[in-house]
Amino acid sequence: MQKGDAAFIKNNNKQLVLTCIRDFEPISRSQISKRIQISKPSVSLIVEQLLQEGWIEENGAGESTNSGGRKPVHLVFNSKAAYVIGVDIGGTKVASGVTCLNGEVHAYREFSTSEYLEKDLFKRLQRDVNSMLRDLQLSNEKILGMGIGVPGVTNVEHGIVLDAPSLRWKRYPVRKIASEYFPFPIYVENDVNTSVLGEQWLGAGKSLQNLIFIAIGTGIGSGMIINGKLFRGSNYSAGEMGYLVTDYQSAKSYHPSYEGYGLLESVASGSSIGHKLSEIKNTPLTAKEAFISWKKGDEGASEVVEKAIEHLGFGIANYISLFDPDLVIIGGGVSESFEDYKHSLIEIVEHFTPQSCKIVPSTFGKEAGIVGAAALFLEEHDSIIQL
């Protein structure tokens, strides 16, 4: 065995022990040894290292053994051993937060995107981050790093946003610019991909291996976990659900409401729902107002909303037939009305799919993007902490 191989095995065993403690805490050294099939002396040595480094803590004694021997000492994960900064850059607002290693958000800030998009966005973000760290009395040394979610196709390897229409960014070097303001590792990803990572980590899709997250807002995008891993595609643009063609007649007369958006988005996104009803009523209206009017039986709203639900159902049915996921999660602004349209949506989906699949709304509120961005960092960064 070469020296490099020994170091790899040692680090891998350390990760296995820590993961075992995180998943099954409180747990004793002997229980860890049985679960991960590593010798008790090796486990004890690793545990001592983890205790010294602060990743775990001893949490009193467990029950005595049947033979009356000494009670084993239980170990627990120290979720405050380090922290992660999560950032969600949206078309409307930039939200940021500080999470512990269990995903709990300990501080939150936000500001208007439009006020800083042309200048000083990351300088403004730096001010919020510094403010949160002061409030929490945390030094930069306690921060593992930062994850950033962006509404656009993103080259994760280089941290470059290839195209984000709502921000008017093309080939925008987010990681390079952010690194001028922050001294820790930074990872950048499409915001729908960060959302599905967050849902798999702590949300409705916790621990599931095949998961689809669909965000319905200004546009329609999706994040996909396939066989336990985030699926990005060969050009980082997998999951562009808004480009699905869901009706032949609509396709023949297709003209996007907004440049750069696909056919499904042109009939079922929040922006298109508001836009189409505004044309009918000859007054500016939002998707939220459209759903309210639909519930009241308004004829124009019914025409727009029901067509959107139908097309969305066709799109989701295609996804379920192709990927056979464990779960489909609906997020974004239009998910706020999910309870009002879920029965109609599910009926359409089940009519066109070979097997049923549960469809649920996102479990996160305004902190969803922050939790997802933190999950991105923990997923991508090569450290002892692994999702």
Side-chain angles (χ1 to χ4, degrees):
M1 182 186 295
Q2 296 181 355
K3 186 177 181 180
D5 295 332
F8 173 80
I9 292 170
K10 182 179 178 181
N11 187 63
N12 188 59
N13 287 345
K14 195 174 180 181
Q15 287 183 343
L16 285 173
V17 171
L18 182 58
T19 300
C20 183
I21 294 169
R22 290 178 72 188
D23 291 345
F24 300 103
E25 64 179 356
I27 188 170
S28 69
R29 291 164 173 82
S30 61
Q31 288 171 326
I32 295 169
S33 176
K34 290 176 183 176
R35 279 194 174 274
I36 63 176
Q37 298 295 299
I38 295 177
S39 69
K40 289 182 182 179
S42 294
V43 167
S44 293
L45 182 62
I46 293 169
V47 163
E48 290 310 308
Q49 291 175 347
L50 293 172
L51 284 167
Q52 289 176 18
E53 293 168 6
W55 296 112
I56 62 173
E57 297 173 330
E58 292 184 334
N59 188 29
E63 299 295 325
S64 59
T65 61
N66 293 333
S67 59
R70 196 174 84 177
K71 296 179 180 180
V73 175
H74 278 158
L75 303 162
V76 295
F77 176 61
N78 178 16
S79 65
K80 295 182 175 63
Y83 295 79
V84 177
I85 308 237
V87 178
D88 181 23
I89 300 177
T92 304
K93 69 183 182 189
V94 176
S96 58
V98 180
T99 80
C100 65
L101 299 177
N102 280 343
E104 181 183 350
V105 179
H106 290 265
Y108 177 91
R109 298 285 191 278
E110 64 178 54
F111 62 86
S112 168
T113 307
S114 59
E115 288 184 38
Y116 297 91
L117 186 57
E118 300 299 328
K119 185 181 179 184
D120 293 338
L121 187 146
F122 288 97
K123 186 175 181 180
R124 177 67 175 81
L125 177 61
Q126 182 188 46
R127 192 197 315 170
D128 278 0
V129 169
N130 289 342
S131 170
M132 290 187 289
L133 296 186
R134 281 196 304 271
D135 286 354
L136 297 172
Q137 298 183 327
L138 295 175
S139 65
N140 284 338
E141 287 69 33
K142 289 286 283 186
I143 305 300
L144 275 182
M146 173 184 283
I148 301 176
V150 179
V153 178
T154 304
N155 181 320
V156 180
E157 184 180 354
H158 297 106
I160 297 172
V161 176
L162 303 176
D163 187 23
S166 65
L167 301 175
R168 302 188 298 278
W169 284 355
K170 283 188 177 293
R171 300 203 62 82
Y172 193 76
V174 171
R175 185 166 68 197
K176 180 181 178 182
I177 294 171
S179 295
E180 295 173 7
Y181 294 90
F182 302 102
F184 24 74
I186 297 169
Y187 293 88
V188 187
E189 175 61 279
N190 172 271
D191 58 355
V192 188
N193 284 345
T194 64
S195 293
V196 77
L197 286 171
E199 291 285 355
Q200 187 197 38
W201 182 25
L202 298 169
K206 188 172 183 178
S207 302
L208 295 180
Q209 293 295 295
N210 296 285
L211 180 65
I212 306 290
F213 178 90
I214 300 170
I216 312 167
T218 303
I220 301 176
S222 69
M224 299 179 284
I225 302 286
I226 298 177
N227 294 329
K229 290 294 182 182
L230 183 64
F231 181 71
R232 295 187 171 101
S234 58
N235 295 295
Y236 303 101
S237 59
E240 290 290 335
M241 185 179 179
Y243 285 86
L244 286 180
V245 177
T246 49
D247 177 70
Y248 173 67
Q249 292 300 327
S250 296
K252 287 201 299 183
S253 59
Y254 166 59
H255 294 288
S257 299
Y258 297 91
E259 185 180 352
Y261 292 94
L263 188 142
L264 181 58
E265 288 168 322
S266 74
V267 291
S269 68
S271 56
S272 69
I273 291 170
H275 179 76
K276 289 179 182 297
L277 188 59
S278 296
E279 287 185 335
I280 292 172
K281 300 294 185 181
N282 199 29
T283 185
L285 293 166
T286 65
K288 186 175 183 179
E289 290 168 328
F291 277 100
I292 291 171
S293 297
W294 172 57
K295 283 182 67 178
K296 292 178 179 178
D298 180 88
E299 189 174 332
S302 295
E303 179 186 339
V304 172
V305 170
E306 287 168 16
K307 184 178 181 181
I309 293 169
E310 183 178 58
H311 279 266
L312 187 62
F314 294 158
I316 293 174
N318 289 338
Y319 261 43
I320 291 172
S321 298
L322 283 170
F323 297 107
D324 187 23
D326 298 305
L327 184 70
V328 172
I329 301 172
I330 307 294
V334 174
S335 69
E336 295 174 10
S337 302
F338 181 77
E339 290 301 316
D340 298 325
Y341 62 78
K342 73 173 182 180
H343 295 297
S344 300
L345 181 69
I346 291 169
E347 185 177 343
I348 294 167
V349 171
E350 291 191 342
H351 182 73
F352 289 101
T353 50
Q355 70 287 317
S356 62
C357 177
K358 193 172 182 181
I359 304 172
V360 300
S362 172
T363 50
F364 297 115
K366 69 176 185 178
E367 297 173 347
I370 290 164
V371 173
L376 163 73
F377 177 83
L378 295 175
E379 174 78 11
E380 293 297 320
H381 190 56
D382 184 18
S383 75
I384 192 171
I385 305 293
Q386 299 290 305
L387 285 188

